[in-house]
C-alpha cells in the first residue's frame, strides 16, 4: 500500500479518533486486560478475556466468509495501512469495543459500589468512540460498524446466562489445559482460506493464543496456591483509592507489562529461530513468516506464552516483590 496525501483541518478530531482506533488494537488488549487481572478482579478479567476471545474469533472468521470489501479509496481517505488487505464486514474494532466495555459493566455492576448509570455511560462512550474512529479513519462503512456492534451485543446476550458455568468449568475441569490449547489450535489451522494473504488469520491466532495461555493460567492458579485476588484491596467507587494503593497499582502494572513484553520478545525470537531452522528461511523473510506452517505455531506459541506469563508468572513476581 501507499500513504495517501491529506491535510488535517481539525487536530482535535484527528488525534481523538486516532487514539480511539488504538483502543481496538493489540496495544490496548495487552495492557488493559492484564491490568484488570493484576489490580481489580480475577473473575472479571477471566470473563472479559473469554468473551473477547469468542467475539473476536467469530468476527475475524465472518470477515473472510462474507468477503465484503472495505470502503473505496478514493473517495475515502484511509489513515491506516496494515488492515487494508482485510475485508470489512463486520468491524472487529466495533465488536471488541462493545464486548469489552459492556462485559466489564455487567461483571462489575453487582460486585462494586458505583452508579450503574455512570458505568453505562462509560461503556457507551468507549464503544462509540471506537466505532466512530473506524469511520473517521476510512476503514469501515456505517453498516460494518453497526453490524459489528450488533453481533457483539447478540453474543453477549447469548453468553451471559452461561458465563458463570463456563468460568467454573475452565477453573475446575481436569481436561481444561488440553482443550484450551487443542481447540484454538484446530480453529487456527482450519481458518478459512483466501486467494491472497490477509492478516486476519495471524491476528486470530494471536487472539486465540493469548486466550489459551491465559485460560491455562487460570486453571493452574485455581489448582495450586496463588496470590490473593487484589480486588479485596481495590474497590471501584468513591472516594478514590488512596495514594499508597495507587503507587502499588502502578508498580504492579509496570512490573507486569515489563514481564509480558519481555516474554513476547523472547518467545518470538526463540520460536521464529526454531521455525527458521526447521523450514530453512531467514527470520526477516516476511513471505516465509506468512506461510501456514510458520505463522500459526509462531504466533500461537508466542502469545499463549504471553497469556500464561500474565496470569501465572506476573502474580508470583508481584508476591515476591511484596506488591500483593
Amino acid at each position: 500500500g501507499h500513504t495517501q496525501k491529506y491535510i488535517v483541518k481539525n487536530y482535535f478530531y484527528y488525534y481523538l479518533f486516532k487514539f480511539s482506533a488504538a483502543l481496538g488494537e493489540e496495544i490496548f488488549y495487552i495492557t488493559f486486560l492484564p491490568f484488570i487481572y493484576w489490580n481489580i478482579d480475577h473473575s472479571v478479567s477471566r470473563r472479559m478475556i473469554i468473551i473477547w476471545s469468542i467475539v473476536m474469533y467469530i468476527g475475524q472468521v465472518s470477515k473472510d466468509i462474507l468477503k465484503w470489501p472495505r470502503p473505496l479509496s478514493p473517495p475515502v481517505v484511509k489513515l491506516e495501512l496494515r488492515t487494508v488487505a482485510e475485508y470489512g464486514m463486520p468491524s472487529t474494532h466495533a465488536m471488541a469495543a462493545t464486548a469489552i466495555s459492556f462485559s466489564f459493566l455487567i461483571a462489575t455492576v453487582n460486585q462494586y459500589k458505583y452508579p450503574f448509570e455512570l458505568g453505562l455511560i462509560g461503556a457507551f462512550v468507549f464503544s462509540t468512540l471506537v466505532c466512530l474512529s473506524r469511520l473517521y479513519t476510512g476503514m469501515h462503512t456505517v453498516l460494518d460498524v453497526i453490524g459489528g456492534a450488533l453481533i457483539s451485543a447478540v453474543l453477549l446476550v447469548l453468553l451471559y446466562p452461561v458465563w458463570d458455568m463456563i468460568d467454573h468449568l475452565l477453573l475446575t475441569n481436569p481436561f481444561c489445559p488440553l482443550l484450551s490449547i487443542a481447540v484454538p489450535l484446530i480453529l487456527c489451522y482450519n481458518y478459512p482460506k483466501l486467494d491472497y494473504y490477509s492478516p486476519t488469520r495471524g491476528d486470530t491466532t494471536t487472539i486465540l493464543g493469548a486466550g489459551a495461555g491465559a485460560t491455562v493460567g487460570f486453571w493452574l492458579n485455581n489448582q495450586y496456591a496463588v496470590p490473593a485476588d487484589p480486588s479485596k484491596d481495590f474497590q471501584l467507587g468513591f472516594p478514590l483509592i488512596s495514594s499508597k494503593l495507587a503507587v502499588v497499582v502502578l508498580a504492579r502494572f509496570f512490573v507486569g507489562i515489563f514481564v509480558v513484553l519481555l516474554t513476547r520478545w523472547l518467545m518470538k525470537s526463540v520460536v521464529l529461530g526454531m521455525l527458521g531452522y526447521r523450514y530453512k528461511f531467514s527470520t526477516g523473510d516476511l513471505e516465509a513468516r506468512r506461510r501456514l506452517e510458520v505463522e500459526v505455531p509462531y504466533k500461537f506459541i508466542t502469545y499463549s506464552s504471553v497469556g500464561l506469563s500474565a496470569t501465572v508468572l506476573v502474580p508470583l513476581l508481584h508476591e515476591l516483590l511484596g506488591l500483593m
Side-chain angles (χ1 to χ4, degrees):
H2 62 279
T3 303
Q4 294 174 290
K5 294 182 179 180
Y6 55 87
I7 298 174
V8 179
K9 295 183 178 180
N10 190 314
Y11 283 96
F12 174 76
Y13 287 143
Y14 179 77
Y15 288 112
L16 172 65
F17 291 125
K18 290 284 282 186
F19 173 77
S20 300
L23 298 179
E25 297 172 358
E26 180 184 353
I27 185 64
F28 174 73
Y29 303 141
I30 209 170
T31 53
F32 178 74
L33 293 176
F35 178 88
I36 300 298
Y37 189 79
W38 299 330
N39 289 303
I40 297 183
D41 194 307
H42 288 180
S43 65
V44 171
S45 177
R46 289 197 305 268
R47 285 162 173 77
M48 291 178 67
I49 289 173
I50 298 305
I51 293 292
W52 169 69
S53 300
I54 294 172
V55 165
M56 289 298 288
Y57 173 75
I58 292 175
Q60 296 285 81
V61 169
S62 297
K63 283 179 185 284
D64 291 337
I65 291 177
L66 294 174
K67 298 182 179 180
W68 286 21
R70 289 186 182 270
L72 292 177
S73 177
V76 168
V77 175
K78 294 184 177 180
L79 304 186
E80 297 177 14
L81 291 178
R82 181 184 177 275
T83 56
V84 166
E86 296 181 6
Y87 289 108
M89 177 68 173
S91 166
T92 47
H93 273 71
M95 292 184 70
T98 303
I100 286 176
S101 57
F102 283 94
S103 63
F104 180 80
L105 172 65
I106 295 168
T108 59
V109 69
N110 292 323
Q111 297 188 49
Y112 297 96
K113 296 178 180 179
Y114 69 89
F116 172 75
E117 295 78 7
L118 181 63
L120 184 62
I121 291 172
F124 181 78
V125 169
F126 178 90
S127 56
T128 299
L129 281 175
V130 175
C131 289
L132 291 177
S133 76
R134 307 318 289 157
L135 303 178
Y136 184 88
T137 56
M139 303 310 296
H140 285 285
T141 66
V142 173
L143 188 58
D144 294 342
V145 169
I146 293 175
L150 288 178
I151 293 171
S152 193
V154 170
L155 289 172
L156 277 174
V157 170
L158 294 176
L159 290 170
Y160 175 71
V162 295
W163 72 353
D164 285 337
M165 181 184 70
I166 294 173
D167 186 54
H168 177 74
L169 289 174
L170 292 178
L171 292 178
T172 60
N173 193 297
F175 298 105
C176 173
L178 176 62
L179 293 175
S180 296
I181 298 297
V183 173
L185 265 178
I186 291 172
L187 294 176
C188 292
Y189 275 108
N190 291 276
Y191 192 83
K193 293 180 174 58
L194 297 177
D195 297 330
Y196 63 93
Y197 178 80
S198 168
T200 48
R201 184 184 66 200
D203 291 345
T204 303
T205 305
T206 295
I207 293 163
L208 293 185
T215 302
V216 173
F218 299 151
W219 185 87
L220 289 172
N221 288 340
N222 190 63
Q223 302 301 312
Y224 304 99
V226 64
D229 190 331
S231 62
K232 69 179 183 180
D233 298 321
F234 187 102
Q235 291 291 318
L236 294 175
F238 303 98
L240 298 178
I241 57 177
S242 67
S243 58
K244 180 180 179 181
L245 183 55
V247 171
V248 174
V249 166
L250 288 175
R252 288 175 187 163
F253 175 72
F254 286 116
V255 168
I257 287 300
F258 174 78
V259 173
V260 164
L261 294 179
L262 180 63
T263 300
R264 185 178 67 167
W265 172 80
L266 181 63
M267 293 307 299
K268 178 180 179 180
S269 302
V270 171
V271 175
L272 265 183
M274 293 175 64
L275 290 170
Y277 177 80
R278 169 67 177 82
Y279 294 107
K280 311 300 182 187
F281 69 87
S282 167
T283 55
D285 187 343
L286 184 59
E287 288 303 316
R289 288 164 56 176
R290 289 174 170 179
R291 287 154 44 187
L292 175 68
E293 65 271 22
V294 174
E295 184 176 59
V296 170
Y298 147 54
K299 293 204 168 182
F300 192 87
I301 294 173
T302 297
Y303 284 90
S304 61
S305 299
V306 167
L308 188 63
S309 173
T311 53
V312 176
L313 181 59
V314 170
L316 290 175
L317 185 58
H318 285 165
E319 184 181 35
L320 183 65
L321 296 174
L323 297 175
M324 297 303 297

